[in-house]
Structures are given as structure tokens and as C-alpha cells.
């Protein structure tokens, strides 16, 4: 059983939904970024999504783009992002870590080398937004062979014809993107999301987690109530970008986690 599977089983036993937090590795710099990541489990985060900074983040809105720029300017790279996982694993061997980003840095490192390094660092899952199911042989299949979950995005435009293809080699959980467009823009609407989550769940036994457009504890609670959990990224990254202290960022994260856990 993977850490992700174990986490969802434990949450289900407690009657709780999952809270997933996204942060950009290396934002605003290596040391503070690592301090925040290390504080996430105690703030109630069930799964950590670790953004891999990239020069051309086409699926991301301004908030995440700027976070990536700050991280790259501070010298963050794929090796240092893997180092975050290694550092967290020294004190936490249960919280799942999912790396999220684009294929180019992984391809540049070499898929086999990257996967070996990711396994050694304690990475549990990958979300690679620019690799469609048609490219599963590139990374998805090799990752799963190494025991790393490959998590797929489903969107409002993923129709019934496309959905089976999206679900085909997905593991860990399904990430439902609640709004059409880039990160950090429109707000998720529970009434619109609920039937989509139900549609996906009718096709898979995997947990369905909803992200994009969740910015407050109340929104996290509302979304978690109709899914298996909620993801918040841009709202957290905004606090980091505004220069808030680590303690204040983590207090905000805890409020979001408390909301999702009430869902």
C-alpha cells in the first residue's frame, strides 16, 4: 500500500476528508520554502503537492507563475526540489509528497534517473500537467512500475468519451480541476462541481480530490463535503508571495485544513 493509499484509508476510518496543500518548492527561497514545507503536516495537511518551478508554466495563473519565477531566481532546481522531500522524510515518513509540474525538467534529467532519485527521496506521486494519456509510455507507466502513483487531472471539458482514457492508468487519486482555465482565477462552485465528482466516481474507485478556485476555509469545507478532499494552492502561494511569516502562512494553512476536515 502506498503512502497515498494509506492516508486515504486512515482518513476514511476517521470519517474525514483530505486536505491537500500546494506550495512551490524554493519560494521565496530555499530555506524559507523548506521551513514552510516542513510545517505543513503539523498544520493539518494530509498530502503535500510540491511544485517544480519551470520557466514556461502554461497551465498556471499569475500567482503560481510568479512563485516559480521567485524560486528560479533564488536558484531552485529539480535537484533542490528532491532535496525538500529528503529533508522532510528525515522527520516524517507518513505524509505523502506529490511532485507537480511539467515534463521538461524530468525529461532533461532523464526519466530513469529522475524516477530512481524520486523513489530514494520518498516521493509518492507525480502530477505532470502536459503529459496526456496518449504519452503514458513516456513517464506514467515507468513511474508506476517504480511504485510512484501517477495522478491525472480531469476537467470540466473531460466528457464521458474522454474520461475512461484519463482514468486508464491513473493511481493514488483523481484531481478534478473545478474551473475551466488556469490556476488562481475563478472560484469553485459546489453546485457545479458535485455532479462532475459523482460522474467521475461512477467510473473509478479512486478518491476524487477537487482543486482550483478554493481560497477560504468555508470554500474548502464546501468542496470537501461533495468530494474526497480539497486542494488549495494559489491562496497559500499568495501569502508566501506577500512576504508573510512562516507562522502566519502555516496558520492560514491550518484554517483551510480545518475547513476541509469538516467537509
Amino acid at each position: 500500500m502506498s503512502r497515498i493509499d494509506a492516508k486515504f484509508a486512515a482518513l476514511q476510518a476517521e470519517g474525514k476528508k483530505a486536505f491537500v496543500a500546494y506550495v512551490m518548492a524554493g519560494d521565496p527561497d530555499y530555506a524559507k520554502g523548506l521551513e514552510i514545507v516542513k510545517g505543513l503536516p503539523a498544520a493539518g495537511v494530509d498530502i503535500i503537492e510540491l511544485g517544480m518551478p519551470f520557466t514556461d508554466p502554461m497551465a498556471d495563473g499569475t500567482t503560481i507563475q510568479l512563485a516559480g519565477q521567485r524560486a528560479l531566481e533564488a536558484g531552485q532546481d529539480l535537484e533542490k526540489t528532491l532535496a525538500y522531500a529528503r529533508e522532510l522524510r528525515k522527520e516524517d515518513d507518513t505524509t505523502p509528497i506529490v511532485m507537480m509540474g511539467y515534463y521538461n525538467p524530468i525529461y532533461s534529467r532523464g526519466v530513469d534517473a529522475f524516477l530512481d532519485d524520486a523513489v530514494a527521496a520518498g516521493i509518492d506521486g507525480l502530477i505532470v500537467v502536459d503529459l496526456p494519456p496518449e504519452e503514458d509510455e513516456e513517464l506514467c507507466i515507468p513511474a508506476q512500475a517504480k511504485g510512484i502513483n501517477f495522478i491525472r487531472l480531469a476537467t470540466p471539458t473531460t466528457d464521458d468519451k474522454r474520461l475512461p482514457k484519463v482514468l486508464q492508468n491513473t493511481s493514488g487519486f483523481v484531481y478534478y480541476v473545478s474551473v475551466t482555465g488556469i490556476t488562481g482565477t475563478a472560484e469553485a462552485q459546489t453546485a457545479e462541481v458535485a455532479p462532475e465528482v459523482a460522474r467521475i466516481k461512477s467510473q473509478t474507485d479512486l478518491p476524487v480530490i477537487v482543486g482550483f478556485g478554493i481560497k477560504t476555509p468555508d470554500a474548502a469545507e464546501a468542496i470537501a463535503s461533495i468530494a474526497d478532499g480539497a486542494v488549495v494552492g494559489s491562496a497559500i502561494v499568495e501569502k508566501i508571495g506577500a512576504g508573510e511569516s512562516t507562522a502566519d502562512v502555516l496558520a492560514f494553512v491550518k484554517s483551510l485544513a480545518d475547513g476541509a476536515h469538516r467537509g
Side-chain angles (χ1 to χ4, degrees), residues 106 109-118 139 142 146:
I106 296 171
R109 192 181 186 91
V111 168
D112 290 341
F114 167 76
L115 290 174
D116 287 343
D117 292 341
L139 181 62
K146 299 271 189 181

Side-chain angles (χ1 to χ4, degrees), residues 22-245:
Y22 170 96
V23 292
M24 180 67 73
D27 179 32
D29 55 55
Y30 183 88
K32 185 172 180 179
L34 180 58
E35 186 179 44
I36 291 168
V37 167
K38 284 185 168 184
L40 293 175
V45 174
D46 298 302
I47 299 173
I48 297 170
E49 275 185 18
L50 204 52
M52 299 180 279
F54 180 52
T55 52
D56 188 24
M58 59 189 179
D60 293 309
T62 304
T63 299
I64 304 293
Q65 286 189 15
L66 290 173
Q69 288 176 16
R70 289 192 297 268
L72 291 169
E73 287 168 6
Q76 191 74 11
D77 56 19
L78 191 56
E79 174 55 36
K80 290 180 178 178
T81 301
L82 289 165
Y84 271 31
R86 291 194 292 268
E87 289 297 319
L88 182 64
R89 287 287 171 246
K90 291 177 182 178
E91 54 195 53
D92 183 327
D93 195 43
T94 57
T95 303
I97 306 171
V98 175
M99 293 179 73
M100 183 172 186
Y102 299 84
Y103 185 43
N104 185 278
I106 296 171
Y107 177 79
S108 296
R109 192 181 186 91
V111 168
D112 290 341
F114 167 76
L115 290 174
D116 287 343
D117 292 341
V119 169
I123 297 297
D124 303 289
L126 295 173
I127 302 173
V128 182
V129 298
D130 55 347
L131 273 185
E134 288 75 13
E135 305 291 338
D136 275 356
E137 296 294 335
E138 284 281 326
L139 181 62
C140 172
I141 304 298
Q144 306 215 99
K146 299 271 189 181
I148 295 177
N149 290 132
F150 201 87
I151 296 145
R152 192 82 68 192
L153 302 177
T155 74
T157 59
T158 306
D159 60 19
D160 288 337
K161 185 178 179 182
R162 180 67 174 167
L163 184 58
K165 188 75 174 174
V166 169
L167 296 174
Q168 184 173 278
N169 290 312
T170 299
S171 62
F173 60 90
V174 179
Y175 187 136
Y176 179 68
V177 176
S178 64
V179 296
T180 303
I182 55 176
T183 58
T185 51
E187 292 190 18
Q189 301 298 321
T190 307
E192 295 173 9
V193 172
E196 292 299 303
V197 170
R199 181 169 69 93
I200 296 167
K201 289 181 76 67
S202 74
Q203 302 293 317
T204 180
D205 293 330
L206 292 171
V208 179
I209 305 299
V210 176
F212 286 49
I214 304 169
K215 301 176 182 179
T216 66
D218 287 346
E221 179 178 1
I223 289 294
S225 73
I226 52 92
D228 295 301
V231 185
V232 178
S234 293
I236 298 168
V237 172
E238 277 181 1
K239 300 278 186 185
I240 297 169
E244 294 198 11
S245 69

